[in-house]
Amino acid sequence: NALNSIQYYINRQDRLAANRYLSDFARLIRKNLDSSQTELTTLSDEIERLELYLKLEHMRFRDKFSYYVEVEPGLDQEQVRIPAMLLQPFLENSIWHGLLPKESQGEISVRIRKDGDFVEILITDNGIGIDSSLMNKSGTDSQISKGMEITENRLELIRRMTGRSIELHGPSQINDDEGRPQGTQVCIRIPLDFSELLENSRG
């Protein structure tokens, strides 16, 4: 998909956009390769990966959605460590199932904050909702569903290793007061001492 987008810019003779897309695509591949060698990454590294992914998808589908990532001031992004490449499947799910089928432009947000002994990550979109999405299945669904399945299996393995859960709430549909779908939301809560729990599980 990314290479098709690069080809599109080249065919339009938009060399600046093609170079920019290729550069960001290469950075994302390098970060993913680096993360594949380790179980944990810093929150700042994961946020950078998410922003690269969102930027690339936004360039591909410029008229379909906007996005923003908001981190609570004072949260030490270098000290907090989380499982590498944990969050991207949830963003893919929101973009492909919620926002792309939407007739008007959508929005996706990622909000990260400290909540007691947890880091809470809230991913929200104003897409078509889960009910409508289930009626619009496409060939892309199997790839995205696989990513979600792998993520859920990782969370279960982490629970078995550490005795503590990374809490996953959703994806769930957001409805207005009259029951009409307004989007979806998923909340991921990761213990602040997650790296210590993982290390202790090996001891």
Side-chain angles (χ1 to χ4, degrees):
N1 290 334
L3 294 176
N4 285 339
S5 295
I6 295 167
Q7 183 182 45
Y8 167 75
Y9 288 124
I10 292 174
N11 289 339
R12 286 180 52 196
Q13 297 187 348
D14 190 344
R15 294 173 182 170
L16 180 61
N19 286 332
R20 186 167 60 244
Y21 196 103
L22 184 59
S23 175
D24 287 336
F25 181 49
R27 285 177 60 201
L28 182 60
I29 288 177
R30 283 196 298 268
K31 294 192 74 63
N32 286 346
L33 287 174
D34 289 342
S35 294
S36 69
Q37 307 299 315
T38 182
E39 293 177 321
L40 299 179
T41 187
T42 63
L43 180 60
S44 63
D45 195 56
E46 185 73 359
I47 290 171
E48 184 180 355
R49 182 182 298 103
L50 293 184
E51 290 180 330
L52 274 171
Y53 170 74
L54 288 169
K55 182 179 179 181
L56 286 170
E57 292 294 69
H58 182 255
M59 285 184 70
R60 289 176 64 200
F61 307 112
R62 186 174 301 277
D63 297 328
K64 295 302 296 184
F65 73 94
S66 59
Y67 70 90
Y68 67 92
V69 179
E70 180 181 279
V71 183
E72 180 182 56
L75 182 60
D76 193 336
Q77 300 179 36
E78 296 298 328
Q79 289 297 317
V80 175
R81 297 180 66 80
I82 67 174
M85 301 174 66
L86 178 68
L87 305 176
Q88 183 172 317
F90 298 104
L91 295 176
E92 290 179 356
N93 198 48
S94 283
I95 292 171
W96 285 89
H97 287 178
L99 298 180
L100 294 187
K102 186 181 172 75
E103 293 183 3
S104 57
Q105 188 181 53
E107 180 181 270
I108 185 170
S109 67
V110 182
R111 294 186 176 91
I112 303 171
R113 70 186 185 102
K114 180 181 177 183
D115 183 26
D117 296 328
F118 290 83
V119 173
E120 182 178 274
I121 302 160
L122 197 65
I123 300 172
T124 308
D125 69 69
N126 67 345
I128 64 173
I130 294 173
D131 293 343
S132 296
S133 175
L134 291 175
M135 299 171 59
N136 296 331
K137 286 195 174 286
S138 68
T140 312
D141 289 349
S142 59
Q143 175 185 338
I144 297 174
S145 297
K146 192 66 176 177
M148 294 291 288
E149 180 183 347
I150 291 171
T151 299
E152 290 171 2
N153 289 339
R154 286 183 69 194
L155 295 180
E156 175 59 21
L157 180 61
I158 288 168
R159 185 193 66 77
R160 292 180 182 179
M161 290 177 63
T162 65
R164 292 276 299 281
S165 295
I166 291 180
E167 298 178 15
L168 174 61
H169 306 280
S172 55
Q173 182 164 288
I174 304 169
N175 294 323
D176 63 15
D177 293 338
E178 297 181 4
R180 293 173 298 198
Q182 299 294 299
T184 60
Q185 187 174 83
V186 60
C187 178
I188 303 125
R189 288 166 51 85
I190 304 172
L192 282 169
D193 59 353
F194 177 75
S195 59
E196 296 174 22
L197 292 170
L198 191 61
E199 191 65 34
N200 292 337
S201 72
R202 296 182 182 127

